[in-house]
Amino acid sequence: MIVKSKGIILGYMKYGDTSIITRVFTEENGYGSYIVNAIRSQKSKKSIGYFQPFSMLDMVLYVKETRDLQRISEFKNHHPLHHIHSDHTKSSITLFLAEVFSRLLQSEQSPNVQLFNFTMESIKVFDQLKVGVANFHLQFLLKVGPFLGYAIDDIDTLFSSADRTAPSSEEFQRIGSLMQEPYGTDIPMSRNSRNEILDAIINYYQHHAHISRPKSLDVLRSILN
């Protein structure tokens, strides 16, 4: 079956001599892995750069229900990104979020249009963001929960999954701002506060979504610190 769909790239790995397997969150099919044939060949007319994390593509998919691995036959940019892949801080945040989001999407094998639209709009905003860049990953992971069925109803719920005391009144206020305010809002916080909030978010998803600790977490912290 041929399916036309928008897709958000979450990473790839080399496959064979010239191909790749890419992880994609698609509007029409949900989350899955797809082969892209000959993209690494010297004769390929298109660059592997299309498959950087958070790239947004218009794709033609070959889907066969009896296969776990599907194929992308055609693709082009849906919305070109200008800063995410060239800005060192943004690219580090993108790699971290792509890893965590991939793990959270493991159960999203069916279309989730609201989640897809939220994610695509968030990426577009992040690409142009000038203020609050260092808090984007915190805001995204807090805001995306309801679309995945892991809504954080209140701040106490966020910390109930972690073996730690309740947040201070200042930290409580910061988390409330991260959850409620739009991306780009200037929410000042220290390195320690940002790390503690991120630990609480990761612990929450580890407890409720059973994801493992992100491998890119230490790299992200070294960049933001």
Side-chain angles (χ1 to χ4, degrees):
M1 178 173 61
I2 297 176
V3 177
K4 293 183 178 180
S5 179
K6 294 192 288 286
I8 299 168
I9 304 299
L10 296 172
Y12 70 85
M13 60 181 292
K14 294 178 181 179
Y15 181 72
D17 293 332
T18 60
S19 303
I20 62 170
I21 295 175
T22 182
R23 303 186 307 277
V24 191
F25 181 35
T26 71
E27 183 178 32
E28 299 296 328
N29 280 24
Y31 176 76
S33 295
Y34 295 81
I35 294 176
V36 185
N37 288 326
I39 187 67
R40 293 164 47 229
S41 167
Q42 292 182 351
K43 296 181 181 180
S44 176
K45 295 180 180 179
K46 291 193 174 181
S47 167
I48 201 170
Y50 279 91
F51 295 92
Q52 295 182 82
F54 278 8
S55 293
M56 295 176 283
L57 304 180
D58 291 320
M59 303 179 299
V60 176
L61 312 173
Y62 280 163
V63 178
K64 200 169 184 178
E65 293 184 2
T66 56
R67 293 180 181 175
D68 293 330
L69 199 58
Q70 312 301 339
R71 184 160 64 90
I72 299 173
S73 64
E74 299 177 29
F75 56 89
K76 63 181 181 180
N77 273 323
H78 171 74
H79 182 91
L81 300 172
H82 302 287
H83 304 289
I84 283 179
H85 300 136
S86 58
D87 181 285
H88 194 44
T89 299
K90 286 186 177 182
S91 64
S92 299
I93 292 173
T94 295
L95 288 172
F96 169 77
L97 284 178
E99 180 187 358
V100 177
F101 196 41
S102 290
R103 297 181 184 187
L104 291 173
L105 286 172
Q106 293 295 324
S107 61
E108 295 293 325
Q109 306 295 325
S110 300
N112 185 334
V113 176
Q114 288 184 321
L115 173 59
F116 183 87
N117 289 338
F118 166 80
T119 305
M120 183 166 278
E121 291 307 311
S122 295
I123 293 170
K124 291 178 183 178
V125 171
F126 183 43
D127 186 50
Q128 298 298 320
L129 209 59
K130 295 181 179 179
V131 177
V133 171
N135 294 332
F136 176 82
H137 59 302
L138 302 177
Q139 288 191 280
F140 179 84
L141 291 175
L142 288 168
K143 292 175 184 292
V144 78
F147 298 98
L148 291 160
Y150 303 117
I152 300 169
D153 298 319
D154 54 59
I155 296 171
D156 290 330
T157 301
L158 178 63
F159 284 85
S160 65
S161 302
D163 185 17
R164 56 160 292 176
T165 57
S168 66
S169 58
E170 290 184 358
E171 195 172 39
F172 195 95
Q173 185 175 0
R174 289 192 193 99
I175 297 170
S177 296
L178 289 168
M179 294 174 69
Q180 297 166 15
E181 297 295 334
Y183 299 126
T185 301
D186 186 15
I187 307 173
M189 68 179 72
S190 67
R191 175 184 65 186
N192 288 339
S193 181
R194 186 177 289 111
N195 286 342
E196 288 180 4
I197 293 171
L198 182 56
D199 282 338
I201 295 170
I202 291 173
N203 286 336
Y204 178 84
Y205 283 120
Q206 284 181 314
H207 179 77
H208 292 279
H210 308 293
I211 67 170
S212 57
R213 185 180 186 275
K215 295 179 181 178
S216 56
L217 178 60
D218 293 336
V219 176
L220 174 69
R221 282 182 168 157
S222 68
I223 297 297
L224 293 183
N225 291 347

